[in-house]
Amino acid sequence: MLSEWQNHKIQLRSYVHKRIDDVDAVDDILQEVYIKASSNLHQLKSKGSLKGWLYRIAHNTIMDFYRQRQPHEELPEDLIAEEQDTGAEARDEIARCLQPLIDELPEKYSLPLRLAELEGISQQAIAEQLGISLSGAKSRVQRSRVKLREKMMACCDFEIGQEGITDYYPKNPNCGPKCQS
């Protein structure tokens, strides 16, 4: 490794010198490149790629040098971390908005939807409570969701982001009071 290093050392020094504004740090970086290359020689795939590999190590070491020099401010000790929003408040607001729309559905759709979505009851339990088959309960919940979606789209415009619905706006004044808390 030492003989190969000697072959490339002058060119690497020039490479580092052109990219570093601190002349005193050039030799330090060059030494760090040698140490990294020596300790990671086992990662080199073939001797033919040694020069490119050394330049990649030099480039990464230069980037590390500049990252370490970036100024940073210490955070105040009395800084309190913000509590993460669990979404409970948003779900409560949506539930208040959805409840009147669900109530407008015929009971054969509103009851299974309310049980599944607002009370979190399993579809098996809904089937038993309504005295219908499991597939019948699944079908009712699914149809109820479609009917609710149709009512929601007729009532409000929705903003959708990566997290889902981020905001909504009533389309007309008749729908507005339903979605107000």
Side-chain angles (χ1 to χ4, degrees):
M1 170 70 189
L2 190 57
S3 65
E4 292 292 329
W5 175 256
Q6 293 301 330
N7 293 338
H8 300 292
K9 182 179 177 182
I10 295 170
Q11 291 174 336
L12 281 171
R13 188 175 199 296
S14 175
Y15 175 81
V16 172
H17 183 67
K18 288 178 184 175
R19 286 159 179 78
I20 298 292
D21 58 0
D22 184 358
V23 178
D24 298 329
V26 172
D27 288 328
D28 293 340
I29 291 174
L30 202 57
Q31 181 180 8
E32 196 171 331
V33 169
Y34 178 74
I35 292 169
K36 287 179 180 180
S38 296
S39 61
N40 293 308
L41 192 58
H42 64 279
Q43 294 179 349
L44 182 62
K45 303 281 187 235
S46 69
K47 283 198 173 202
S49 61
L50 177 68
K51 184 176 181 179
W53 185 64
L54 289 172
Y55 276 91
R56 175 52 52 198
I57 294 172
H59 172 78
N60 291 342
T61 306
I62 291 168
M63 293 300 110
D64 291 343
F65 170 78
Y66 280 116
R67 278 189 205 108
Q68 291 170 357
R69 287 183 48 190
Q70 286 183 349
H72 64 280
E73 294 181 23
E74 294 292 324
L75 293 174
E77 289 183 23
D78 61 341
L79 183 67
I80 298 174
E82 291 183 28
E83 291 183 29
Q84 291 185 350
D85 181 20
T86 60
E89 191 175 309
R91 283 191 298 277
D92 289 344
E93 182 179 348
I94 288 174
R96 285 191 302 271
C97 180
L98 293 180
Q99 188 63 50
L101 293 174
I102 292 172
D103 290 342
E104 289 179 6
L105 295 173
E107 187 175 345
K108 90 179 220 179
Y109 297 117
S110 65
L111 183 58
L113 186 63
R114 189 177 303 110
L115 293 172
E117 300 299 338
L118 300 180
E119 296 179 23
I121 296 176
S122 72
Q123 291 182 356
Q124 179 65 49
I126 293 171
E128 292 169 5
Q129 186 173 340
L130 298 178
I132 58 177
S133 67
L134 175 59
S135 63
K138 288 180 179 184
S139 181
R140 285 232 186 124
V141 170
Q142 201 61 23
R143 282 191 214 123
S144 302
R145 288 175 181 158
V146 170
K147 291 187 177 298
L148 177 63
R149 184 180 309 118
E150 290 169 357
K151 285 197 168 289
M152 288 173 57
M153 299 309 279
C155 181
C156 298
D157 284 321
F158 295 92
E159 280 186 23
I160 299 175
Q162 288 183 327
E163 299 85 30
I165 295 175
T166 57
D167 207 354
Y168 63 92
Y169 308 96
K171 284 185 179 178
N172 61 52
N174 297 338
C175 288
K178 294 177 188 172
C179 296
Q180 311 257 330
S181 50

